[in-house]
Amino acid sequence: MELHDVWFVLIAVLWTGYFFLEGFDFGVGVLTKLLARNRPEKRVLINTIGPVWDGNEVWLLSAGGATFAAFPEWYATLFSGFYLPLLAILVCLIVRGVAFEYRAKRPEEHWQRNWETAIFWTSLIPAFLWGVAFGNIVHGVKIDQDFNYAGGVLDLLNPYALLGGLVTLALFTFHGTVFVGLKTVGEIRERARKLALRVGLVTALLVLAFLLWTQSDRGDGASLVALVAAVVSLVVSLVAARARHEGWAFALSGLTIVATVAMLFLTLFPNVMPSTLNPDWSLTVTNASSSPYTLKIMTWCAAIATPVVMVYQGWTYWVFRKRIGTQHIAETVH
């Protein structure tokens, strides 16, 4: 296996880790409007991700940085062609971080309500737009012979990509719902379980439709295995949620995300951005990659830094593993 193939796999792993971890972050943000009934319950939801949300975003920085260094042509075409949706995601992530920090700084009702609304929308919009972006990457976009994006913003809003957006939004919301069931106690835990069953059914239909479309478009035997793994994991996660086995439900909803992202990258390889204008103008792992020497240096750096980051993040989750409820929320910080 060549180093550019290795880095394609590593970038796929980084995006998978990001969607697994940030997926339930986005889901919890959406649930602040769908699940919480009062201010203490909203605080409980925010506190479930409070210690980890910023660490989860490290995976996004790593994925973007790795793409820039390992596949500069891919990075240039992607960020120039998808400029507006990626800018919208970036703005949402900035506002979302500010909202987490500023929400409890003042006690006024309108102050906290406005920041809670910001958390909801800046969780929902990126959850949808990431699916739109990856739907276009996999399905292909208008790339000319100079590897420049030749389409417009409206070209990105095609049916396949929009379905991909609905899939990521639903899947992240379901992932967040089972995470809340895993991390809370009391009435909010029971409501999260019931909501997970309803959201999970819709998610299962969307995921099945999207993955079948992907398989029929450019799938093979390996992607079919990933498709089956994604669907089976999601169904079993629903069964586990119904049986109140929140740990298994969360692990299996995460496995659904892993299998879904794996299928997208399996159908994409050896391309990194297919061209719908001419297959010969597609960006591939070969023509979009950096020099072998650059990839070699990057491999050594990743081999040293990645285990350290993963151990530290795992330790963070272990420290903040306890369940919480409204009884843990002080009156003054509602």
Side-chain angles (χ1 to χ4, degrees), residues 230-284:
V231 174
V232 171
S233 298
L234 183 53
V235 172
V236 179
S237 179
L238 278 168
V239 174
R242 181 180 177 85
R244 294 181 171 83
H245 297 311
E246 290 99 344
W248 281 107
F250 177 72
L252 289 164
S253 69
L255 182 57
T256 303
I257 293 175
V258 171
T260 299
V261 178
M263 181 181 178
L264 294 181
F265 276 92
L266 284 169
T267 57
L268 185 61
F269 185 81
N271 295 319
V272 292
M273 282 189 77
S275 172
T276 57
L277 298 179
N278 187 331
D280 294 334
W281 298 344
S282 297
L283 285 166
T284 68

Side-chain angles (χ1 to χ4, degrees), residues 194-213:
K194 294 178 179 178
L195 182 60
L197 298 178
R198 297 196 295 271
V199 173
L201 290 174
V202 176
T203 303
L205 294 175
L206 289 172
V207 168
L208 181 60
F210 180 70
L211 295 187
L212 286 176
W213 190 343

Side-chain angles (χ1 to χ4, degrees), residues 3 5 18 27-28 75 109 112-113 143 167 192 204 228 238 302:
L3 278 179
D5 298 330
Y18 174 66
V28 171
Y75 183 93
E109 173 77 17
Q112 296 192 4
R113 184 176 61 250
I143 298 176
V167 167
V228 173
L238 278 168

Side-chain angles (χ1 to χ4, degrees), residues 287-314:
N287 63 26
S289 70
S290 294
S291 67
Y293 182 74
T294 300
L295 297 177
K296 189 180 207 179
I297 296 298
M298 289 176 59
T299 303
W300 280 107
C301 292
I304 296 171
T306 303
V308 176
V309 173
M310 295 185 70
V311 168
Y312 174 77
Q313 193 162 27

Side-chain angles (χ1 to χ4, degrees), residues 3 26 35 62 72 96 117 130 139 180 202-203 239 275 281 292 295:
L3 278 179
F26 289 142
L35 185 63
S62 300
R96 186 167 172 264
T117 301
W130 279 127
H139 192 257
V180 170
V202 176
T203 303
V239 174
S275 172
W281 298 344
L295 297 177

Side-chain angles (χ1 to χ4, degrees), residues 19-215:
F19 288 141
F20 182 101
L21 297 172
E22 190 81 334
F24 68 76
D25 277 2
F26 289 142
V28 171
V30 173
L31 292 176
T32 56
K33 290 288 188 183
L34 301 182
L35 185 63
R37 292 179 176 175
N38 51 48
R39 183 125 294 116
E41 289 188 351
K42 289 183 179 180
R43 187 64 188 178
V44 167
L45 293 180
I46 294 172
N47 282 3
T48 61
I49 59 174
V52 298
W53 68 267
D54 48 355
N56 293 343
E57 291 187 352
V58 170
W59 290 79
L60 173 61
L61 298 176
S62 300
T67 304
F68 172 76
F71 298 99
E73 288 283 358
W74 184 12
Y75 183 93
T77 304
L78 175 64
F79 278 78
S80 60
F82 294 17
Y83 179 80
L84 288 179
L86 292 179
L87 177 63
I89 291 173
L90 177 61
V91 171
C92 284
L93 294 181
I94 293 172
V95 173
R96 186 167 172 264
V98 173
F100 282 135
E101 298 296 333
Y102 274 47
R103 177 193 172 275
K105 297 298 184 183
R106 290 170 56 177
E108 291 88 350
E109 173 77 17
H110 70 278
W111 173 271
Q112 296 192 4
R113 184 176 61 250
N114 289 340
W115 285 120
E116 289 162 1
T117 301
I119 290 172
F120 170 77
W121 285 109
T122 56
S123 298
L124 185 149
I125 293 172
F128 176 75
L129 289 180
W130 279 127
V132 173
F134 270 83
N136 279 290
I137 291 172
V138 173
H139 192 257
V141 291
K142 295 179 180 178
I143 298 176
D144 62 23
Q145 59 185 348
D146 296 320
F147 301 138
N148 294 320
Y149 178 66
V153 175
L154 293 180
D155 292 317
L156 302 178
L157 303 179
N158 55 79
Y160 178 82
L162 292 175
L163 178 58
L166 293 177
V167 167
T168 51
L169 176 58
L171 190 53
F172 292 168
T173 303
F174 174 69
H175 195 41
T177 307
V178 294
F179 178 77
V180 170
L182 178 65
K183 287 288 293 179
T184 59
V185 295
E187 184 182 350
I188 194 170
R189 176 187 178 188
E190 183 61 23
R191 290 207 311 273
R193 184 187 70 83
K194 294 178 179 178
L195 182 60
L197 298 178
R198 297 196 295 271
V199 173
L201 290 174
V202 176
T203 303
L205 294 175
L206 289 172
V207 168
L208 181 60
F210 180 70
L211 295 187
L212 286 176
W213 190 343
T214 305
Q215 180 67 23

